[in-house]
């Protein structure tokens, strides 16, 4: 396969970007633990994801393949999702019996996030039709070139164990695991500054 061209997503791409993210995460262990029914997922995922990583578009750090087969939503140092709004949206759809585990899950997730300035890969998503074809790797390589030019560290949370090897190939190392009750395992990962 030819290496896909990677460019920045713009506001005009927003709907297509979040459509790709929604498709990519339809089988994601953490996303579907939080939004178990198909209806809840289809109805809420796009809004939840826009709150979680939508700021990347305005900060010119949302990378996409030319035809939006995949996207990488990077938040610059000092920019984080609106946790209050994000939690509020999620807790509208989380089953009542899961609420305590979900609260502990998000608290532990936040504790891993580095306190020092770093780039945060909030979402890496590839439309399932294009997965395992090099799109994710190309998106990582393009964004990490920018991160390395700034000599900054990077951080992410892998919500799917099958993606850990991709992140490790790009220099990320597991920091531990987050898991409570019925939740799947989430793996926070850190990449030291280079360049």
């Amino acid at each position: 396969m030819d290496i896909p061209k990677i460019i920045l997503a713009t506001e005009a791409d927003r709907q297509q970007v979040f459509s790709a993210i929604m498709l990519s995460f339809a089988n994601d262990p953490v996303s579907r633990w939080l939004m178990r029914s198909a209806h809840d997922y289809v109805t809420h995922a796009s809004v939840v994801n826009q709150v979680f990583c939508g700021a990347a578009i305005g900060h010119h750090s949302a990378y996409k393949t030319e035809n939006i087969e995949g996207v990488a939503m990077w938040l610059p140092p000092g920019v984080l999702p609106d946790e209050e709004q994000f939690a509020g949206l999620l807790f509208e759809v989380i089953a009542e019996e899961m609420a305590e585990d979900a609260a502990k899950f998000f608290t532990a997730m936040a504790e891993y996030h580095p306190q020092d300035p770093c780039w945060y890969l909030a979402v890496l998503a590839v439309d399932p039709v294009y997965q395992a074809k090099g799109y994710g790797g190309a998106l990582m390589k393009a964004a990490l070139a920018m991160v390395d030019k700034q000599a900054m560290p990077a951080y992410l949370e892998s919500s799917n164990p099958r993606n850990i090897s991709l992140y490790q190939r790009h220099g990320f190392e597991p920091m531990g695991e987050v898991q409570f009750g019925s939740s799947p395992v989430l793996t926070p990962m850190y990449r030291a500054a280079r360049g």
Side-chain angles (χ1 to χ4, degrees):
M1 181 194 99
D2 294 332
I3 295 173
K5 182 177 179 183
I6 307 299
I7 54 179
L8 291 176
T10 67
E11 193 59 46
D13 300 315
R14 184 175 288 272
Q15 186 172 350
Q16 286 182 280
V17 162
F18 285 97
S19 293
I21 291 171
M22 189 161 76
L23 276 178
S24 176
F25 279 77
N27 197 31
D28 177 76
V30 172
S31 294
R32 295 314 301 274
W33 173 67
L34 295 167
M35 294 175 271
R36 290 193 173 182
S37 79
H39 176 75
D40 284 346
Y41 181 75
V42 170
T43 304
H44 294 89
S46 184
V47 174
V48 169
N49 286 325
Q50 290 203 44
V51 169
F52 187 67
C53 65
I57 293 175
H59 285 281
H60 310 291
S61 53
Y63 292 80
K64 67 173 187 166
T65 56
E66 192 169 18
N67 296 310
I68 315 183
E69 297 91 349
V71 297
M73 307 296 281
W74 287 85
L75 297 179
V79 176
L80 292 173
D82 181 332
E83 291 179 14
E84 190 173 312
Q85 185 181 9
F86 176 70
L89 288 168
L90 271 180
F91 280 91
E92 287 180 17
V93 294
I94 291 173
E96 191 174 319
E97 66 273 11
M98 292 173 42
E100 185 177 338
D101 288 344
K104 290 177 183 175
F105 185 88
F106 287 118
T107 297
M109 186 174 149
E111 288 172 359
Y112 275 101
H113 199 101
Q115 297 302 308
D116 293 333
C118 70
W119 279 90
Y120 174 43
L121 177 57
V123 170
L124 176 65
V126 177
D127 179 333
V129 172
Y130 300 99
Q131 289 178 1
K133 297 183 179 180
Y135 289 91
L139 285 159
M140 289 291 289
K141 185 177 179 182
L144 288 173
M146 175 272 304
V147 170
D148 290 344
K149 279 184 186 174
Q150 296 180 12
M152 294 291 295
Y155 173 76
L156 61 83
E157 296 114 357
S158 179
S159 58
N160 192 328
R162 72 178 199 186
N163 297 332
I164 291 173
S165 62
L166 167 69
Y167 300 136
Q168 287 177 316
R169 285 194 302 274
H170 290 276
F172 287 88
E173 294 297 329
M175 300 167 70
E177 293 183 341
V178 174
Q179 196 279 321
F180 287 95
S182 64
S183 82
V185 173
L186 178 116
T187 306
M189 302 183 76
Y190 185 80
R191 183 180 185 266
R194 299 180 180 188

